[in-house]
Amino acid sequence: MSETPLRVLSVIPPMTQLNTPYPSTAYLTGFLRSRDVDAVQEDLALALVLRLFSRDGLEAIRAHAQALPARRRSESVTCFLEHFDRYHATIEPTVAFLQGRDSTLSHRIGSGAFLPEGPRFDALDAYVDPDGGDPLGWAFGALGVHDRARHLATLYLNDLADVLREAVDPRFEFVRYAESLALSQPTFEPLAQALAADPNLVDTALHALTLEALARHTPQVVLISVPFPGAVYAAFRIAQSIKAHNPAIVTVLGGGYVNTELRELGEPRVFDCFDYVTLDDGERPLLALLEHLRGKRSRQRLVRTFVREPDSGAVRYINLVEPDIPFAEVGTPTWDGLQLNRYLSLLDMLNPMHRLWSDGRWNKLTVAHGCYWKKCSFCDVSLDYISRYDGASAATLVDRIETIIAETGQTGFHFVDEAAPPKALRALAEELLRRGVSISWWGNIRFEKSFTPELCQLLADSGCIAISGGLEVASDRLLKLMKKGVSVDQVARVTHAFAEAGVLVHAYLMYGFPTQTVHDTVDALEYVRQLFEAGCIQSGFFHRFACTVHSPVGMNPAEYGVRLEPLPPGNFAKNDIGFIDPTGVDHDALGKALNKALYNYMHGIGLETEVRQWFTGKVPRARVPRNFIARALQQGEPHARNGV
């Protein structure tokens, strides 16, 4: 390419979130515009859902469902076909309601007589109020008419997604679309076969949307940002459509998935769809690439970029070392071009913190780049997005906040840091209060001692409504092994301080960490029970530990008492890695008990129950004193644990 001005289109591929745009394109577009690049953006994930879940889309789905032999029709498909006229009549009003464009429809939806009810509505039978009252009110709290209707409308959409999955594309999900084709997939072959297959209804809809976006913007460069494995297949389909339409359009692949799983990319077939694949923060590689495309920089001077050699066909990684763009100079994200009034605010999560992820539209912003702690053994601390810590002044952050509010008209912010630094949050809160900027915000932190009651109250005064943090395996032995830098009693005091300030507290919990015993697991659940009982946390979620090749456990397994399983051969994705733990604990069986207990704790049930009763098999008695958390809160200082 020459000196001709380049228009750059950044694309969000299916699937990410339905309630708010994934922020990568907003960051890239804002940065490129700050450097006088003609940059635009599209959310094809949202566009695809709205195309499929429309009257025309349902008619197309019905044609596929009718083609299924009667013996192969599930309950979902049968219900859809029998009540198609009602689905067809209600789909667009229901979508408009979830978009916030027709709130009065909540009365009809909430009545239970408006929407057809497929198998997903059977879940309502599980919400049994112990006192015999309204089951939805018990499960979700004092639901108003609007929230009740949004939950029912969400079940309705999930029913339709089940039909689409069974009649059209078994890989379809609202979030993890075709995830198995890319998740830690050592070989490109499954993805290649899927891309070579005849397009189905979802593929053809995405193809049409891609061509429409190209016609609207006429870009010379298309950036496709892939945050998760569940967006990889669609990203390749989009690039495939672009290359079939106009091979001269330059396609670039980047994003969180690439940064994590494709760091050792050697598969030439990737470059049938993409001209370039970039690693880590995109700002510097994109500036270098745009200079190259304008003829101002040779190919040998690209930054953190994979290419395919034209002669040999081999994949080559080029990295002229240049400093990254300072966080203070990356510019302000922009949502210009994304139709914010078309996102769907769903309500399907009983977990109060998870509800924030799918409920309402949040402006996503970062307080600082990377993690200031970057020591946790389970985390990918060797990768740039965590290891390179870089901040910006509170004045700069609030300038960005004010600019975003002026553009979007919305004052809700989700700070998407790995762990927002306490000093930066204090400065931010003080600057917000000094300027009189009123926002609502939530984000992730470490439960460290810097979060004093005074600081927690200051953050609440500045608009903090919820925080999440890692308690992980609630065991001081394992927290030390994880290099988490916190203790259980310290977590108790910090979470209690936030709760006292009126901030919702969510705990990330983990099971299956190397050398974790059954006794450790029982002890951890007892700590969690006491934290709920004391009102320190209101929400939590147990994750199964996964070892990754970029984490300290994956890089130095002997330090954690485990042995890694050999990775299968391949030249595509690499991330999760199996390991052999000498304890031999059946963590899957324990995980069912942990999640059952947690579900009940979040509803105030079973807090007086001895924790062993949640487990199906025989487990040892917890070694934790039943008043451990209460004593930690009273004393305010760490103290010894009996037998731990």
Side-chain angles (χ1 to χ4, degrees), residues 209-482:
L209 290 166
T210 300
L211 297 188
E212 290 168 18
L214 295 180
R216 267 193 302 276
H217 300 295
T218 61
Q220 287 76 46
V221 180
V222 177
L223 313 177
I224 304 181
S225 179
V226 179
F228 317 117
V232 172
Y233 170 72
F236 274 82
R237 277 291 190 186
I238 291 168
Q240 194 179 55
S241 296
I242 293 170
K243 287 303 182 185
H245 172 73
N246 183 356
I249 297 176
V250 174
T251 51
V252 186
L253 176 66
Y257 168 81
V258 178
N259 301 339
T260 304
E261 304 219 12
L262 300 188
R263 303 196 72 85
E264 299 178 27
L265 178 64
E267 173 56 72
R269 289 177 291 178
V270 168
F271 297 87
D272 293 340
C273 295
F274 291 97
D275 298 292
Y276 303 93
V277 178
T278 66
L279 289 183
D280 299 326
D281 283 1
E283 290 87 357
R284 180 59 73 188
L286 285 177
L287 289 183
L289 177 58
L290 294 177
E291 286 184 2
H292 169 61
L293 296 176
R294 294 190 184 105
K296 295 183 176 181
R297 177 186 287 244
S298 70
R299 195 173 191 231
Q300 288 69 36
R301 299 183 66 243
L302 293 175
V303 177
R304 295 198 301 270
T305 301
F306 288 101
V307 299
R308 182 170 62 183
E309 294 290 8
D311 297 330
S312 66
V315 177
R316 178 186 173 197
Y317 182 61
I318 305 173
N319 184 20
L320 177 69
V321 178
E322 294 185 2
D324 275 289
I325 307 298
F327 181 67
E329 298 175 15
V330 296
T332 301
T334 178
W335 282 265
D336 179 45
L338 302 177
Q339 297 175 292
L340 301 183
N341 62 344
R342 301 186 74 204
Y343 287 85
L344 306 171
S345 187
L346 306 179
L347 203 169
D348 61 352
M349 291 289 188
L350 286 170
N351 184 302
M353 176 60 84
H354 288 179
R355 175 176 172 176
L356 289 178
W357 283 92
S358 60
D359 184 6
R361 205 203 72 74
W362 300 92
N363 299 309
K364 294 183 182 285
L365 195 63
T366 308
V367 174
H369 182 282
C371 179
Y372 69 100
W373 179 250
K374 55 189 175 189
K375 296 179 183 178
C376 297
S377 303
F378 54 83
C379 196
D380 290 341
V381 296
S382 64
L383 299 185
D384 177 80
Y385 80 98
I386 292 175
S387 64
R388 182 169 58 84
Y389 178 70
D390 185 17
S393 69
T396 297
L397 292 174
V398 178
D399 286 345
R400 292 175 182 173
I401 288 170
E402 290 188 311
T403 300
I404 291 168
I405 293 172
E407 178 183 274
T408 67
Q410 294 169 320
T411 60
F413 284 81
H414 175 199
F415 296 140
V416 294
D417 301 70
E418 295 300 308
K423 286 185 179 179
L425 286 179
R426 176 184 289 277
L428 175 63
E430 290 172 345
E431 185 69 7
L432 286 168
L433 293 168
R434 186 185 70 79
R435 295 197 200 182
V437 177
S438 296
I439 66 171
S440 301
W441 64 268
W442 56 290
N444 197 49
I445 64 165
R446 291 179 60 249
F447 293 130
E448 63 160 84
K449 61 184 179 182
S450 299
F451 288 102
T452 62
E454 177 268 333
L455 177 55
C456 294
Q457 187 60 57
L458 175 68
L459 299 181
D461 292 342
S462 75
C464 179
I465 59 170
I467 56 97
S468 58
L471 175 55
E472 317 307 350
V473 177
S475 156
D476 280 346
R477 178 184 75 82
L478 291 172
L479 286 171
K480 185 176 181 180
L481 184 62
M482 291 177 176

Side-chain angles (χ1 to χ4, degrees), residues 55 83-98 102-118 121 148-150 152-154 156-157 160:
R55 289 182 177 177
H83 301 282
F84 178 77
D85 288 344
R86 288 184 65 194
Y87 281 107
H88 192 256
T90 55
I91 182 61
E92 292 184 0
T94 302
V95 167
F97 166 72
L98 289 171
D102 189 4
S103 61
T104 57
L105 191 63
S106 61
H107 298 278
R108 293 197 67 191
I109 294 175
S111 71
F114 181 67
L115 298 177
E117 297 185 358
F121 283 76
R148 177 188 297 268
R150 282 198 299 125
L152 297 176
T154 301
Y156 164 90
L157 277 191
L160 290 173

